[in-house]
Amino acid sequence: QVQLVESGGGVVQAGASLRLSCAASERTFAHYNVGWFRQAPGHEREFVAFIQWGGGTTYSSDSVKGRFTISIDNARKTVYLQMSSLKPEDTAVYYCAAAPSTYGTILRNQVWGVWGQGTQVTVSS
């Protein structure tokens, strides 16, 4: 079981950029797909982005497509969410999660069994 720690959140103005990190603790992300999710106060958890463990397949939600990019480093130790053109609507707690790659890359088949503690992103207008 991989352990996840998110970091990189903060308070920024609209239009700014942030890069969130999701680090594997004591293990790498080898054979784990990784997803980013977010939850704003009063809202349900929302899918943001997905990356296959090898980095070959990525998905992003319509709400962030073209603005957010998910990536993984060569050591497969850290997954990043590069966020640009941030909007107040992006304000949320952002979580990363890991799923065994056994089930492939179909998003609905992912079993998000491991979650990080979350990192707060606040975008002011």
Side-chain angles (χ1 to χ4, degrees):
Q1 287 283 313
V2 64
Q3 304 294 315
L4 309 180
V5 179
E6 302 100 330
S7 62
V11 180
V12 298
Q13 295 184 359
S17 297
L18 280 175
R19 188 177 72 166
L20 305 184
S21 298
C22 176
S25 180
E26 299 183 3
R27 295 184 176 94
T28 71
F29 284 113
H31 302 291
Y32 283 90
N33 299 331
V34 178
W36 282 98
F37 301 81
R38 66 187 183 186
Q39 186 166 21
H43 294 259
E44 64 184 9
R45 186 179 62 193
E46 176 188 15
F47 167 77
V48 175
F50 166 94
I51 188 166
Q52 187 182 14
W53 75 271
T57 298
T58 61
Y59 307 122
S60 61
S61 68
D62 290 341
S63 62
V64 306
K65 194 167 297 181
R67 299 188 299 119
F68 292 9
T69 301
I70 189 169
S71 62
I72 189 167
D73 65 10
N74 291 333
R76 293 191 280 273
K77 175 69 174 178
T78 306
V79 169
Y80 302 98
L81 185 68
Q82 178 66 50
M83 307 183 295
S84 62
S85 301
L86 283 163
K87 306 174 181 179
E89 301 84 72
D90 297 318
T91 295
V93 178
Y94 284 71
Y95 300 90
C96 64
S101 63
T102 306
Y103 303 102
T105 59
I106 299 175
L107 192 60
R108 69 176 186 271
N109 290 343
Q110 304 303 305
V111 180
W112 302 110
V114 183
W115 293 81
Q117 84 288 348
T119 186
Q120 176 71 48
V121 172
T122 301
V123 184
S124 64
S125 60

